Amino acid sequence: MFARQAFRSALQPMKTSFHRYSTEAPKSGGINTLLIAGVVGAVGAGGYYYYNTTVQSETVIPQGPSKADPAFIGGDQGWIGLKLESIETVNHNTKKLRFALPHKDNVSGLHVALINFLTAALLTKYKGPGDEKPTIRPYTPISAEDARGYLDLLVKVYPNGPMSSHLHSMNVDQRLDFKGPIPKYPWEANKHDHVALIAGGTGITPMYQLTRAIFSNPNDKTKVTLVFGNISEEDILLKREFEDLENTYPQRFRAFYLLDKPPASWTGGKGYVTKELLKAVIPGPKDGNIKVFVCGPPGLYKAVSGEKRSPQDQGELSGILQELGYSKDQVYKF
Ligand SMILES: Cc1cc2nc3c(=O)[nH]c(=O)nc-3n(C[C@H](O)[C@H](O)[C@H](O)COP(=O)(O)OP(=O)(O)OC[C@H]3O[C@@H](n4cnc5c(N)ncnc54)[C@H](O)[C@@H]3O)c2cc1C
Ligand SMILES: *C1O[C@H](CO)[C@@H](O)[C@H](O)[C@H]1NC(C)=O
Ligand SMILES: *[C@@H]1O[C@H](CO)[C@@H](O)[C@H](O)[C@H]1NC(C)=O
C-alpha cells in the first residue's frame, strides 16, 4: 500500500515540540500535501487492512512479571531519592538518564499486572539554591515495568525549563527526589479495539509505555496507530523501538512521523498534525470501540484536542478531534 511504504521508509525516532502551533503560521504545500494525497488515496482505494481483523476476547490469564518489591507504592510513601547511575546522550537536546532504584531487586512499581495495567507517571522534585519553591514535574519512565534495579527517563531539555535543565546538568551519583506512581489511564487487555496515539516531542513517553503494555501481552489484540510530530529527524525519540514494533506486528501497529524540518530525503509527513492527516490515518469516531490519546506540548493539545484543565480535569474536547466528530469520552489527554 502506498502510504504504508512511504511511511515505512520514513520511520525515524522522535522528539521536540510542535512549537509552530503557538508561534508561527504553518508552512503550506510541499511534501505534506503529497503525503496527505497519498494517504487519502490509499484509504480510498481499499480501506485499512487493519480494520478487518477481529479482536479475540482473552481466554488465558497471562503471567505477570515475577514477584518483585516495587520501589513506588504511592499513598503516603513520600519522596524517594534515587541516585543517577548513568547518562546517555540521545541527540542534541535529549538525554536518557538511568536512576538506580533503592535495591537491585526492586521494580519501579508502575505496573499493576500485565492484564490490568495502569499507565502512570512519576513526579520529580528539585529546589535550586535560589528557588523559593521546589519545581515538581511528571515523567513517564521508558524502562520496562519489570526491569529490576533501575528506571530510565528520557528527558528533553527546554532552555529555560527548570526541571529539564536540572536533569541535564546532573552528574552520576547525584540524587533526585521521586514520588508516585501518579495514575493515568487504566488499561486492560482489549479494552479498546483500536487506539490512536497522537504525540509531540517527549509526549511520546506515555504513548510508548501504553504501546509496550499492549504488545507485551500476548492476549491483547489492540491495534495501535501512532502519529508523532517533532522538529527534525534527530528529534524522533524511541524510533528504533517503534520500528521493531512495526516490523513485528505489521497488522496491528502503524506509525506516522511528521517533521517540522525534514531533510531533502524525507518521505514522511511535513509540518504539523492536520485534520486531513488524522482523518486519513486514525480510526474514525464511528469505527467501533476506539480511543484517541493525546500527549505533547501545549500547542499540540490546543490544535488537536483542547487543553487539559488540570491533572484531574480533562477539560472540554475542541480542536481537530472535535471537528472530526469524536466525543469527549473517546479522547484521553495524558
Ligand atoms: C504525563 C506526563 C509525562 C511526561 N513525560 C515526560 C518524559 O518522559 N520526558 C520529558 O522530557 N518530559 C516529559 N513530560 C514533560 C515534563 O513533565 C516537563 O514539562 C518538561 O520536562 C519541562 O519541564 P521544565 O521544568 O524544564 O520546563 P517548563 O517550565 O515546564 O517549561 C518547558 C517549556 O514549555 C514552555 N511552556 C510551558 N508551559 C507552557 C504553556 N502553557 N504554553 C506554552 N508554552 C509553555 C516553556 O516556555 C518552556 O519552553 C511529561 C509530562 C506529562 C504531563
Ligand atoms: C521527530 O524527529 C525525529 C528525528 O528527527 C524524527 O525521526 C521523527 O520522525 C520526528 N517525529 C515527529 C513526530 O516529528
Ligand atoms: C525494594 O526492595 C526491597 C528488597 O526486596 C524491599 O524491602 C523494599 O521495600 C523495596 N522498596 C523500596 C522503596 O526500597
Side-chain angles (χ1 to χ4, degrees):
M1 187 175 289
F2 170 84
R4 174 166 179 76
Q5 306 256 299
F7 280 110
R8 177 179 279 288
S9 58
L11 259 172
Q12 297 277 339
M14 51 195 140
K15 149 176 165 152
T16 9
S17 50
F18 282 87
H19 61 274
R20 258 212 268 116
Y21 280 127
S22 43
T23 55
E24 298 169 34
K27 296 170 189 111
S28 58
I31 296 170
N32 201 28
T33 313
L34 288 175
L35 165 78
I36 289 166
V39 170
V40 172
V43 173
Y48 261 143
Y49 65 96
Y50 57 179
Y51 295 135
N52 300 328
T53 321
T54 323
V55 173
Q56 313 265 317
S57 61
E58 90 189 47
T59 48
V60 184
I61 307 282
Q63 291 265 293
S66 56
K67 249 194 143 72
D69 275 320
F72 293 96
I73 55 175
D76 56 8
Q77 186 185 29
W79 296 94
I80 302 179
L82 299 184
K83 209 188 244 186
L84 181 56
E85 191 175 282
S86 61
I87 303 168
E88 185 190 317
T89 299
V90 174
N91 69 14
H92 62 107
N93 63 11
T94 303
K95 286 183 179 179
K96 186 162 128 184
L97 304 177
R98 175 161 296 184
F99 289 90
L101 296 171
H103 298 270
K104 66 174 175 26
D105 286 335
N106 287 139
V107 293
S108 67
L110 267 68
H111 68 285
V112 175
L114 283 180
I115 52 158
N116 187 11
F117 180 90
L118 195 63
T119 63
L122 290 173
L123 295 178
T124 61
K125 182 174 76 166
Y126 168 68
K127 191 165 177 292
D131 296 351
E132 230 161 73
K133 285 193 298 180
T135 299
I136 297 177
R137 297 280 184 271
Y139 291 89
T140 310
I142 57 162
S143 41
E145 279 67 36
D146 57 356
R148 288 179 185 244
Y150 66 87
L151 61 82
D152 291 334
L153 297 188
L154 192 64
V155 180
K156 177 194 165 185
V157 67
Y158 291 86
N160 296 310
M163 183 59 77
S164 60
S165 300
H166 173 63
L167 291 174
H168 272 244
S169 75
M170 281 182 78
N171 295 313
V172 166
D173 285 347
Q174 269 185 281
R175 282 179 187 271
L176 181 70
D177 279 339
F178 284 87
K179 185 159 106 171
I182 311 301
K184 291 288 177 180
Y185 189 75
W187 183 260
E188 59 196 82
N190 308 309
K191 180 169 185 171
H192 302 289
D193 296 341
H194 194 157
V195 297
L197 314 176
I198 303 170
T202 50
I204 196 67
T205 59
M207 306 306 195
Y208 180 58
Q209 188 188 48
L210 177 58
T211 303
R212 199 177 43 208
I214 291 171
F215 289 100
S216 65
N217 181 352
N219 296 303
D220 197 330
K221 305 300 180 198
T222 308
K223 288 164 188 161
V224 177
T225 300
L226 170 70
V227 177
F228 182 37
N230 68 151
I231 294 187
S232 67
E233 216 167 329
E234 311 76 66
D235 288 333
I236 303 173
L237 305 176
L238 299 167
K239 177 186 182 230
R240 188 170 37 93
E241 287 81 352
F242 284 114
E243 268 177 353
D244 285 348
L245 282 177
E246 241 210 344
N247 289 327
T248 313
Y249 303 99
Q251 305 299 309
R252 287 177 52 209
F253 181 79
R254 292 187 81 183
F256 298 85
Y257 299 93
L258 300 166
L259 288 186
D260 260 14
K261 296 178 183 161
S265 59
W266 181 248
T267 56
K270 180 174 183 307
Y272 57 3
V273 176
T274 61
K275 197 168 165 177
E276 291 71 29
L277 177 72
L278 291 187
K279 190 169 184 203
V281 306
I282 70 171
K286 303 232 157 60
D287 287 337
N289 177 9
I290 61 110
K291 191 91 179 179
V292 183
F293 294 87
V294 185
C295 191
L300 177 72
Y301 290 108
K302 247 176 243 165
V304 171
S305 63
E307 292 191 83
K308 250 186 339 189
R309 211 166 280 146
S310 73
Q312 293 75 33
D313 183 353
Q314 288 269 302
E316 288 309 307
L317 181 68
S318 60
I320 294 173
L321 292 175
Q322 191 242 338
E323 290 165 29
L324 288 174
Y326 295 88
S327 63
K328 188 179 164 173
D329 63 2
Q330 287 179 310
V331 177
Y332 182 81
K333 307 170 192 172
F334 270 109

